[in-house]
Amino acid sequence: MTSSARPFLNRRLAEFGTTIFAEMSALATSTGSINLGQGFPDTDGPEEIREAAVRALRDGRGNQYPPGPGIPELRTAIAAHQERRYGLSYDPDTEVLVTAGATEAIAATLLALLEPGDEVIAFEPYYDSYAACIAMAGGTRVPVTLRPHEGSFRLDLDELRDAVTEKTRLLLINTPHNPTGTVLTREELTEIARLAVERDLLVVTDEVYEHLVFDAAEHLPAATFPGMRERTVTIGSAGKTFSFTGWKVGWVTAPPALVSAVRSAKQFLTYVSSGPFQYAVAEALALPDAYFDAFRADMLAKRDVLAAGLTEAGFEVFRPQGTYFITTDIRPLGESDGFAFCRALPERAGVVAIPNAVFYDHREAGAPFVRFAFCKQTEVLQEAAKRLKAAR
Ligand SMILES: *Cc1c(COP(=O)(O)O)cnc(C)c1O
């Protein structure tokens, strides 16, 4: 669609009219395709956590406006989770804020911290809400492109350094990274931290896939690096970790002055949300390590099924170290335009995928890459692989 089709949309948002997900999900329905486009699981999370939400609802907990920062039980559980997993200590009363998913956490953080004209450095390809939220806040996005290097997408640290100017206010990072599956290494995060301290930048880190890390990779929270805790806003979410993406329970952990700023913006976005679900997520965060281990093992097995299927179907596969997405290169199939490829794929193969170019400012840098989600039942992934192979 062109912007003339949306005469009322303001200039800040003109380029964000409709997302590719709407177009591709419509194509999935009209062609009866398997939808590996959008990243939501096709099975719900733990039964006991679902029951915890039902209990809260029946007992009348959270049916009226919960407290602005989130219910104390959940803030305490979030702080305990950060302490237990990473040794990061946050005060549940002043350093934790519950939000309507990570989406609101991102929006509120950028709206609170940016002055118009401030520059935000983000790794391209990036999650689609980053660009829109930077724009809504009147900021300017400065993409630093992750490039294929020995089987994964990596950051060029010199390029990152060169992207910082007098106007740079914050670094917006995401690890594990959607859509590439890259997990930032200790060396990369050490350099990012060094740069942030040296140039006195704020860091906003989207860690919603913190529990989906595979092989030898390790999730290292940005806030654990020297000089970072005091300048870092960490964003988490129950949606991805507990397979309840519809509940929209997310959170921010940061020092009091940053949380207070984010809360100022958040109170005028949703004020509060997800009352009964907050009680259920408090219980979910306290699940034993066995839950998190089994969840990771299950997703790892799914990754391997889809990666093998895509390889057999002729794609070049960038084996993700984290998240539930696989980025592929379609050039070995004799294709080079991910948009055209994804628009034709439902007819041709009965499968829906997303062209990574939508996550880039430099569209040409993302042109040959296509993303598949593997948070689906194994049979569904096997059937998708079979169809892709047959259509080759
Ligand atoms: C899904 C996703 C989000 C949004 O999380 P919600 O809690 O559903 O709002 C944010 N960031 C990334 C990278 C995601 O993939």
Side-chain angles (χ1 to χ4, degrees), residues 337-350:
D337 177 351
F339 269 108
F341 181 83
C342 287
R343 289 207 167 98
L345 198 62
E347 255 332 308
R348 252 180 58 201

Side-chain angles (χ1 to χ4, degrees), residues 261-327:
V262 176
R263 196 174 144 192
S264 295
K266 182 251 162 17
Q267 68 189 336
F268 299 117
L269 293 173
T270 56
Y271 178 47
V272 293
S273 63
S274 307
F277 298 126
Q278 292 193 28
Y279 289 91
V281 172
E283 289 191 31
L285 283 167
L287 285 170
D289 287 348
Y291 165 75
F292 299 92
D293 294 344
F295 176 60
R296 182 172 48 242
D298 181 46
M299 284 294 175
L300 173 62
K302 291 176 192 294
R303 179 200 71 172
D304 289 345
V305 167
L306 187 62
L310 290 168
T311 303
E312 262 194 69
F315 293 81
E316 181 187 347
V317 170
F318 295 91
R319 183 173 294 265
Q321 294 177 303
T323 77
Y324 42 52
F325 300 105
I326 292 180
T327 284

Side-chain angles (χ1 to χ4, degrees), residues 71-94:
I71 62 164
E73 291 87 339
L74 179 53
R75 283 184 279 116
T76 301
I78 292 164
H81 172 271
Q82 297 304 93
E83 175 81 54
R84 169 164 70 124
R85 307 289 307 196
Y86 311 120
L88 279 167
S89 131
Y90 287 101
D91 179 344
D93 289 331
T94 57

